[in-house]
Amino acid sequence: MTTYDVHAHCIPAALLELLRKEGARLGIELADDGEGEYAVIADRVRLTPFRPILSDLDARVRAMDDTGVDIQLLSGWIDLTAYALDEEAAVEYSRRFNEILSEEAGNHPDRFLGLGTVPLQSPRRAAEELAYAVRDLGMAGVQVATTVDGTDLDEAGLDPFWEAAEDLGCLVVLHPCDPLPGVDLSRNFLDNMIGRPAESTIAVGHLLFSGILERFPGLVMCVVHGGGFVPYQLGRMQRGFDAVPRLAAQNISKPPAELARLLYYDTVLHDPGPLAFLVNQVGADHVVMGTDYPFPMGDSRPVDTVQAIPGLSERQRELILGGNVGRMLESISR
């Protein structure tokens, strides 16, 4: 059985070289404050310094070998999604990004598949870039952030993109980027531990209750970090749907739990107990293995994590370890 990691990040060295040479023209300027090289996007979004491990392909392969991951779906560092760029710069940046990431995955074609990026600030162009990434570059799909430069996904006019993703049957990985702007999470590492899953929860809530998931039921979307808090609050969402339909059921006709089971959820929860609950809520056929490589908050022993989930049959474990992703890949329309 082939094992797949759907949640892993990289910054190809060739992308850094591109940004050093042409980044200013695209609206992404690099600088170094003595603590490391970092980027400023559109003169207003300053990123934290790049982690060298994100560009170390050999270390990545060694880590995969050590942990039993056969194939990793490579996605960029979410902070470099660059939705703050103007449309033309974003379109060019996404194209160059995807071609570079495709080449990076091609260095070990038996170990990597690419998850590209698209310029969601231009939904029509994003749909076109998605088709290019999947059909021309052979990517498995894309990674998208939980907002488009602060605009919630249900208010960003993304129907052309959702339609293209549904038609292609490719994977869309939903990843938090800027946790809860305006909320002070600077103390005690709460921006990561609490803010990121909360950000995903809000994004899924908008996708669900706006009717997007009901209108595009064929979307193959995976929410990282076990879906944020979504699987654990489905009862509350159902209560709102039943008790206050004039607010919660304006745009949907199907129960929230049914719509939530259209999504996929990764295993980066760090505890077999909640993972068992997740499987019980959404089914083993909608849970996939992830690591969040190479970040400290990632799961460094993903296969062991899946093996530790109590009460699963061997078939359920096989689905989570790789069977579900294998099925997704076979269904992509090239």
Side-chain angles (χ1 to χ4, degrees):
M1 183 194 64
T2 301
T3 60
Y4 290 90
D5 173 10
V6 303
H7 180 187
H9 303 285
C10 73
I11 304 176
L15 180 65
L16 291 177
E17 284 304 309
L18 169 70
L19 294 179
R20 291 179 186 121
K21 293 177 181 177
E22 302 183 48
R25 178 179 64 80
L26 293 171
I28 304 176
E29 297 198 50
L30 299 193
D32 193 322
D33 60 2
E35 295 185 4
E37 194 173 32
Y38 64 92
V40 178
I41 301 173
D43 293 324
R44 60 184 175 83
V45 181
R46 174 172 171 163
L47 308 185
T48 57
F50 302 128
R51 296 170 179 260
I53 188 66
L54 282 159
S55 305
D56 192 332
L57 199 60
D58 291 336
R60 181 180 302 271
V61 173
R62 288 195 300 270
M64 292 168 63
D65 290 342
D66 183 52
T67 58
V69 173
D70 296 321
I71 297 177
Q72 196 176 77
L73 276 60
L74 292 177
S75 56
W77 183 33
I78 191 66
D79 298 62
L80 278 173
T81 306
Y83 295 149
L85 297 178
D86 65 44
E87 178 176 333
E88 292 306 319
V91 168
E92 180 181 351
Y93 171 71
S94 296
R95 177 59 55 91
R96 301 289 292 277
F97 180 106
N98 289 335
E99 290 177 342
I100 288 171
L101 186 61
S102 178
E103 291 179 6
E104 184 86 340
N107 287 321
H108 294 277
D110 58 330
R111 305 303 301 274
F112 298 124
L113 289 168
L115 288 173
T117 192
V118 291
L120 286 186
Q121 54 268 69
S122 175
R124 179 182 61 82
R125 306 286 287 276
E128 293 170 356
E129 185 59 30
L130 177 65
Y132 175 77
V134 173
R135 289 179 173 157
D136 293 77
L137 298 179
M139 289 184 154
V142 291
Q143 174 184 245
V144 299
T146 39
T147 70
V148 183
D149 192 27
T151 300
D152 291 319
L153 297 178
D154 64 314
E155 295 188 333
L158 296 177
D159 278 12
F161 170 73
W162 302 131
E163 183 177 4
E166 186 178 51
D167 288 345
L168 289 163
C170 64
L171 177 61
V172 178
V173 171
L174 181 65
H175 196 292
C177 183
D178 185 17
L180 306 181
V183 178
D184 184 6
L185 298 172
S186 60
R187 302 183 304 283
N188 306 314
F189 201 50
L190 293 190
D191 60 327
N192 194 304
M193 294 188 298
I194 302 298
R196 289 188 178 272
E199 180 77 9
S200 293
T201 302
I202 293 168
V204 172
H206 287 311
L207 291 171
L208 195 160
F209 286 100
S210 70
I212 289 173
L213 295 181
E214 189 165 336
R215 288 188 290 112
F216 299 100
L219 276 175
V220 184
M221 179 180 288
C222 177
V223 190
V224 299
H225 309 134
F229 306 120
V230 170
Y232 322 99
Q233 291 295 334
L234 286 177
R236 185 172 181 81
M237 294 180 193
Q238 185 64 45
R239 178 59 180 169
F241 178 81
D242 293 334
V244 196
R246 65 183 180 84
L247 297 177
Q250 295 180 83
N251 304 302
I252 59 174
S253 62
K254 295 182 179 179
E258 181 178 337
L259 294 173
R261 291 187 186 102
L262 295 173
L263 299 169
Y264 290 82
Y265 303 83
D266 83 5
T267 57
V268 185
L269 284 173
H270 309 289
D271 189 324
L275 276 169
F277 179 84
L278 173 63
V279 173
N280 184 63
Q281 285 287 80
V282 304
D285 58 341
H286 277 255
V287 178
V288 293
M289 189 173 71
T291 63
D292 205 358
Y293 181 90
F295 291 100
M297 283 293 287
D299 185 345
S300 61
R301 310 299 304 184
V303 174
D304 292 345
T305 293
V306 175
Q307 296 293 0
I309 301 173
L312 298 189
S313 68
E314 191 58 32
R315 175 57 180 161
Q316 287 176 312
R317 294 186 203 281
E318 290 175 355
L319 287 174
I320 296 169
L321 288 168
N324 291 329
V325 178
R327 185 182 70 249
M328 292 178 195
L329 297 176
E330 289 175 359
S331 67
I332 294 175
S333 173
R334 302 286 185 184

